[in-house]
Amino acid sequence: MSTILFSEIVFGPIHSRRMGSSLGINLLPFDGKLCNFDCIYCECGFNENFRTRTKLPTRQNVKDALDDKLFKLKEEGAKLDVITFAGNGEPTMHPEFAGVIDDTIELRDKYCPDAKISVLTNGISVGKQSVFEALQKIESPVLKLDSAFDETVHLIDRPNSPTYTVANQVKLYQRFEGNFILQTMFLKGSFEGKTIDNTTEREVSAWLEIVKQLNPREVMIYTIDRETPAKELEKVSLDVLNKIADEVKQLGVITNVAG
């Protein structure tokens, strides 16, 4: 099984399909994965295969590592489009997430004021007030929603909360009043004997209704780019992604496609 685990707090910059030159921040352990989803397409692998034995970096650890990296990049004259919180799982699970965001804003303003700050999150923790407020401070809170149907989300994303529902997640996202980016992974295939396809007319129509309801400022739609832990998954064609994007654009929402 080929997986990608980040062994540093700050990594890159790398070229992101969706964001340009991106400096990554991993708030999670280096030797494994920590996430409240267990997505079958996750490049970090399944949770059970990569249990961690190390502690999370502290807020000061993160600030020191980012300060050092941004200083070096400024000295080199490197262009940076975005600072992205991603890494080995769900970044908002870090207990000092809100403080880390404050530190990142401070350092960004000091070294690269034109760069945006982005957080890629599955959205489970946005009901926590400190997380919600922190995400409102940054330019690009990117919130996941891979289907309008609970059964599909539980098949693709496998949230560890038995009470997770799409309806509850939509209510949490409505608190942003459209000031966020909605991100959806489209894929096909099978897993544990069950067929997966969130590109069907039923799936897309229901998902579009949620997009209309939430009215995010942007929608990111993408498909598999790297090897996945579930082996019977397939990329969705760029043609299909573009057709879905056209329907989103008809709602007046900016759409970013990564095939």
Side-chain angles (χ1 to χ4, degrees), residues 19 25 66 81-85 100-109 114-119 135 137-142 217:
M19 299 179 184
I25 299 182
L66 184 59
D81 295 313
V82 62
I83 299 169
T84 304
F85 286 82
V100 169
I101 291 294
D102 287 340
D103 294 339
T104 303
I105 292 170
E106 174 191 335
L107 293 173
R108 182 276 308 275
D109 292 347
D114 293 333
K116 296 179 180 179
I117 298 172
S118 175
V119 174
L135 291 173
K137 295 177 182 179
I138 64 172
E139 290 77 17
S140 299
V142 182
R217 71 166 192 261

Side-chain angles (χ1 to χ4, degrees), residues 183-209:
Q183 181 188 68
T184 301
M185 162 70 79
F186 287 101
L187 73 167
K188 297 181 179 183
S190 64
F191 179 66
E192 295 183 342
K194 296 182 180 179
T195 300
I196 298 164
D197 186 354
N198 62 346
T199 70
T200 64
E201 182 178 351
R202 173 178 178 267
E203 284 277 353
V204 174
S205 295
W207 175 80
L208 285 168
E209 286 300 314

